[in-house]
């Protein structure tokens, strides 16, 4: 699938900010065998006094900006053309959890994609006894099968509610509420898998949404999405699951970045020299591109 993606983040400040520094993670990355970024751009208004672009530990694209002049709003616009071609899931060759632990112990790497980074609790996805007990109901004959079952159960047992949680909500709190958004469902699944001994991480990106039959696609109606990656053993490797929709990640999932949880891949983090609060808005367009044959 080929997509044109547009993202607009807008922030209004209650009082003018005398300065600020931010890190932005919204640019998709090229992932061999999964997706290719054909073109991408990122712009800001007002223009920052400083800007640098780099990759973080996990290989995510990061743009660091700084302001020294007073400003009462910030606009961030990203556009990209991305080709996504995920391999179809094949035969499940992942081991059961007992053998997975043995294969995990044999991994002698601390590279960014090493499963050891994704096994212990993190800020938003701490290992929680109640979540682990819930996840044990999904344990089956393979790690991938266990992850898929947990994915489906979260989709079935939890209610999507955009008002129930915030970006600061932790997995344990969302689990007790039994409601939340894609970020919460992903954190719950990550915490559950880690509690079982299956390494799991957070994936941030975009998801193409399909309007109801006969209805036009609403511009800007899409939003950033989140799903889960799980390490399913030496041969199966990392596999991705979307608990919000009860499915494996497909060609409709466009990856921006990944980490241990939301805090590693938040779209924007930073500090402002100001007083009062701020109001933010987000709009995303994920548009399939159909190329005409010559």
């Amino acid at each position: 699938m080929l997509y044109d993606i547009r993202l607009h983040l807008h922030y209004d400040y209650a009082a003018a900010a005398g300065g600020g520094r931010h890190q932005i993670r919204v640019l998709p990355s090229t992932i061999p065998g999964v997706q290719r970024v054909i073109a991408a751009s990122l712009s800001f208004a007002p223009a920052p006094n400083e800007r640098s672009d780099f990759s973080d530990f996990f290989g995510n694209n990061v743009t660091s900006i700084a302001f020294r002049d007073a400003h009462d709003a910030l606009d961030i616009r990203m556009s990209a053309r991305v080709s996504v071609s995920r391999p179809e899931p094949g035969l499940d060759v992942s081991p059961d959890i007992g053998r997975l632990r043995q294969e995990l112990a044999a991994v002698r790497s601390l590279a960014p994609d090493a499963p050891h980074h994704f096994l212990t609790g993190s800020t938003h996805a701490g290992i929680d006894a109640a979540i682990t007990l819930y996840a044990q109901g999904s344990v089956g004959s393979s790690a991938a099968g266990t992850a898929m079952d947990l994915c489906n159960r979260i989709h079935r047992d939890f209610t999507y509610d955009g008002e129930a949680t915030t970006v600061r909500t932790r997995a344990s709190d969302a689990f007790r509420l039994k409601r939340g958004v894609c970020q919460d469902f992903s954190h719950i699944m990550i915490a559950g898998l880690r509690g079982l001994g299956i390494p799991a991480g957070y994936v941030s990106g975009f998801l193409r949404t399909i309007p109801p039959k006969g209805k036009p696609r609403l511009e800007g109606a899409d939003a950033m999405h989140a799903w889960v990656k799980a390490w399913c053993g030496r041969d199966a490797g990392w596999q991705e699951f979307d608990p919000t929709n009860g499915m494996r990640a497909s060609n409709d999932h466009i990856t921006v970045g990944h980490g241990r949880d939301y805090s590693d891949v938040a779209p924007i983090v930073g500090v402002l020299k100001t007083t009062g609060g701020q109001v933010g808005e987000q709009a995303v367009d994920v548009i399939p591109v159909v190329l005409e044959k010559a």
Side-chain angles (χ1 to χ4, degrees), residues 49-268:
N49 299 105
E50 300 175 20
R51 172 174 174 166
S52 61
D53 298 273
F54 60 95
S55 295
D56 65 16
F57 175 76
F58 293 114
N60 305 316
N61 291 320
V62 186
T63 299
S64 177
I65 58 173
F67 297 95
R68 291 188 291 274
D69 303 321
H71 57 291
D72 57 10
L74 174 61
D75 271 297
I76 303 171
R77 295 183 183 272
M78 186 280 294
S79 62
R81 175 165 286 191
V82 182
S83 174
V84 183
S85 182
R86 293 179 182 273
E88 290 291 330
L91 184 67
D92 185 359
V93 295
S94 63
D96 61 30
I97 292 179
R99 191 151 60 87
L100 181 76
R101 293 193 181 99
Q102 297 175 8
E103 294 188 6
L104 180 61
V107 176
R108 303 299 187 190
S109 171
L110 289 178
D113 63 346
H116 303 296
H117 300 299
F118 304 91
L119 188 59
T120 58
S122 54
T123 301
H124 290 276
I127 294 176
D128 178 88
I131 299 177
T132 299
L133 181 62
Y134 175 79
Q136 285 172 348
S138 289
V139 174
S141 60
S142 72
T146 297
M148 189 72 250
D149 187 78
L150 181 58
C151 173
N152 288 332
R153 288 175 60 216
I154 292 172
H155 172 66
R156 183 182 68 241
D157 296 344
F158 290 74
T159 301
Y160 192 94
D161 183 350
E163 303 298 323
T165 58
T166 72
V167 294
R168 296 181 180 87
T169 300
R170 303 193 178 197
S172 55
D173 298 321
F175 181 78
R176 284 192 290 272
L177 290 171
K178 294 295 185 290
R179 41 202 327 120
V181 295
C182 58
Q183 173 181 319
D184 304 301
F185 303 154
S186 296
H187 285 149
I188 291 168
M189 183 172 173
I190 291 166
L193 291 175
R194 290 174 179 171
L196 298 176
I198 300 176
Y202 185 97
V203 187
S204 172
F206 306 101
L207 175 66
R208 179 177 71 134
T209 56
I210 301 174
K213 188 175 182 180
K215 298 292 185 180
R217 183 184 166 281
L218 298 178
E219 186 172 348
D222 298 324
M224 292 197 74
H225 191 52
W227 60 97
V228 175
K229 67 173 193 173
W231 190 76
C232 297
R234 180 188 58 228
D235 298 321
W238 288 102
Q239 300 189 23
E240 298 183 8
F241 305 86
D242 181 350
T244 305
N245 295 292
M247 63 185 294
R248 285 180 177 266
S250 68
N251 285 342
D252 290 335
H253 292 73
I254 304 104
T255 300
V256 167
H258 71 276
R260 292 161 297 184
D261 60 28
Y262 172 82
S263 62
D264 284 335
V265 286
I268 179 170

